[in-house]
Amino acid sequence: MKALWSFRKCKEGDISRIDLILSLFSVIKWKEFHPNHTTYIYLDSEYMGEFEKYGLLQFWDNVVLLESRDDIDISKFWSISKMEAFEQHKGKVVHVDSDFIAYCNLDDLGFFDCEMGVTMLEEVAKDEIAYINPKEAAEFGGLKKDLYKWDDYADQCSILYFDNDKLKNKFTKEFFKYAKEVTGKETDHNGIGYILFIEQKYLRELSKEMKVKKNYIVKDGFKLSTRTILPDIADGKLPMEGITNFIYHYGPNKQLFESDLTMGTHLGMYILPMINRPDINPLFWNIYAGKPFVQSIPTQQPKSEDVGLFSKLFRKKK
């Protein structure tokens, strides 16, 4: 099995230390529970320079430098590096988002016994925060608005696994086409809706059309518009209750750890004890000390709609 991580700098300013810390956290835990996987990291020169500076590249088995590109607006399609990584591989391959942490071996759940695997199912109908009308999104990117019937769901892809080259190749090809079509167009939308459409909504419909066998990690769904759990609607093994004992996706919750105080506390009291490897603690503290972010303690937490589901469960658990 090949496990991939990928990075392109998609916004102005310095690469944040939380991105570096969580990436290291992610690969260490993945290799702990999946020791037979061969790991790859794909990154542009901006990220490679930062990873090299802090001695992080050694944790991946293979390091691949991505060439610069200007044909796609990376600020809108930041996961383009994921597609660039996928197109380099055949057979069983999984992409792990850099803020996804595994606390178990997904083989034990039978997760990889399929042609496609994703984290969880989201009901996106009437969601006004992230998703936009799929017909509108399709047409805006050059697809036929009635290409599919467009059901009410999308596949959350913080983990994305393929063992079907035909599906993977079709998906990556259409992703590139769509992203190029949207790039440069004026829109009133904040932009996130288009990447969520092509990566999580279109891919779901394409996999249905191709009738592939799909697995989910989580068996419960999540209704975005009401922030509620939909029990037992997906072909997964784990219930939402207690999910952070098995996997954790930081998502928008990363913003909670931007200050020196919150990051230092989270690193010392959670991340390092979870890793339990004193020999590499200095690597984490070097990142923390080398990229300070000093600000006053926030007086207001992010709005609930801005915090991911796993993040809400994690905070509740804490």
Side-chain angles (χ1 to χ4, degrees):
M1 176 81 75
K2 291 157 286 189
L4 318 177
W5 284 254
S6 64
F7 304 86
R8 273 195 184 274
K9 192 168 184 291
C10 61
K11 56 187 176 182
E12 297 295 326
D14 197 16
I15 293 171
S16 71
R17 66 179 169 197
I18 189 66
D19 286 343
L20 301 180
I21 286 172
L22 292 185
S23 301
L24 183 55
F25 187 19
S26 175
V27 71
I28 288 172
K29 295 305 288 184
W30 190 272
K31 295 181 81 169
E32 175 185 341
F33 289 104
H34 306 88
N36 296 324
H37 288 191
T38 301
T39 56
Y40 291 76
I41 183 171
Y42 289 79
L43 63 181
D44 64 9
S45 59
E46 299 271 5
Y47 266 95
M48 180 173 280
E50 288 294 282
F51 274 64
E52 174 63 21
K53 177 181 178 181
Y54 291 101
L56 309 187
L57 295 177
Q58 63 181 303
F59 290 90
W60 282 267
D61 301 318
N62 301 275
V63 178
V64 182
L65 175 64
L66 296 172
E67 294 184 3
S68 61
R69 62 187 307 161
D70 57 11
D71 57 331
I72 289 174
D73 185 348
I74 300 174
S75 68
K76 290 180 180 176
F77 295 95
W78 56 85
S79 66
I80 195 71
S81 58
K82 183 186 299 190
M83 308 306 139
E84 294 172 305
F86 270 134
E87 67 178 352
Q88 300 302 316
H89 297 275
K90 296 180 180 180
K92 296 177 181 292
V93 59
V94 60
H95 186 279
V96 185
D97 279 7
S98 61
D99 57 353
F100 181 96
I101 316 298
Y103 299 128
C104 68
N105 187 330
L106 298 184
D107 281 303
D108 294 341
L109 303 176
F111 176 69
F112 299 116
D113 299 332
C114 62
E115 297 172 271
M116 174 183 164
V118 296
T119 311
M120 61 179 290
L121 185 65
E122 295 179 334
E123 204 234 67
V124 300
K126 299 182 180 179
D127 172 60
E128 298 178 355
I129 300 170
Y131 285 87
I132 55 181
N133 182 285
K135 290 186 176 183
E136 175 191 333
E139 196 169 34
F140 192 77
L143 297 171
K144 294 180 180 179
K145 65 179 182 180
D146 296 320
L147 179 64
Y148 298 113
K149 291 184 178 180
W150 307 114
D151 68 17
D152 292 337
Y153 299 92
D155 289 331
Q156 205 272 7
C157 297
S158 50
I159 285 288
L160 181 54
Y161 166 73
F162 288 113
D163 188 18
N164 183 313
D165 288 336
K166 185 177 179 181
L167 170 64
K168 175 179 63 67
N169 294 342
K170 172 70 171 176
F171 169 55
T172 54
K173 178 182 177 181
E174 291 302 321
F175 188 105
F176 287 125
K177 273 181 64 176
Y178 183 86
K180 290 177 182 179
E181 180 69 24
V182 171
T183 292
K185 284 188 173 182
E186 294 292 332
T187 174
D188 293 332
H189 198 271
N190 61 18
I192 190 174
Y194 299 111
I195 188 173
L196 292 180
F197 165 77
I198 192 64
E199 183 174 333
Q200 303 192 160
K201 182 62 185 158
Y202 169 80
L203 176 57
R204 169 176 170 78
E205 300 292 349
L206 178 63
S207 65
K208 286 166 54 183
E209 178 187 42
M210 296 181 67
K211 296 181 170 57
V212 301
K213 183 181 186 302
K214 185 195 302 181
N215 283 344
Y216 295 82
I217 297 175
V218 184
K219 68 177 184 176
D220 301 330
F222 185 62
K223 185 176 177 67
L224 289 181
S225 61
T226 58
R227 322 302 289 176
T228 50
I229 293 171
L230 308 174
D232 296 309
I233 67 169
D235 189 11
K237 297 292 186 182
L238 299 176
M240 203 72 77
E241 182 68 29
I243 191 64
T244 54
N245 293 315
F246 299 93
I247 61 171
Y248 181 59
H249 178 226
Y250 278 78
N253 197 41
K254 288 188 293 186
Q255 65 187 298
L256 298 175
F257 305 108
E258 287 185 337
S259 75
D260 287 345
L261 176 60
T262 55
M263 185 70 257
T265 302
H266 188 61
L267 181 58
M269 298 185 67
Y270 181 73
I271 293 177
L272 296 183
M274 290 298 294
I275 294 174
N276 193 27
R277 285 185 53 185
D279 58 309
I280 60 175
N281 284 3
L283 283 173
F284 284 95
W285 288 120
N286 281 345
I287 299 171
Y288 173 79
K291 298 179 74 68
F293 185 100
V294 182
Q295 66 177 27
S296 60
I297 300 173
T299 57
Q300 182 177 352
Q301 295 291 344
K303 296 178 182 178
S304 61
E305 61 265 25
D306 294 331
V307 179
L309 171 63
F310 289 172
S311 303
K312 290 169 69 179
L313 292 171
F314 176 76
R315 289 167 61 192
K316 185 172 167 185
K317 173 184 169 187
K318 294 292 286 183

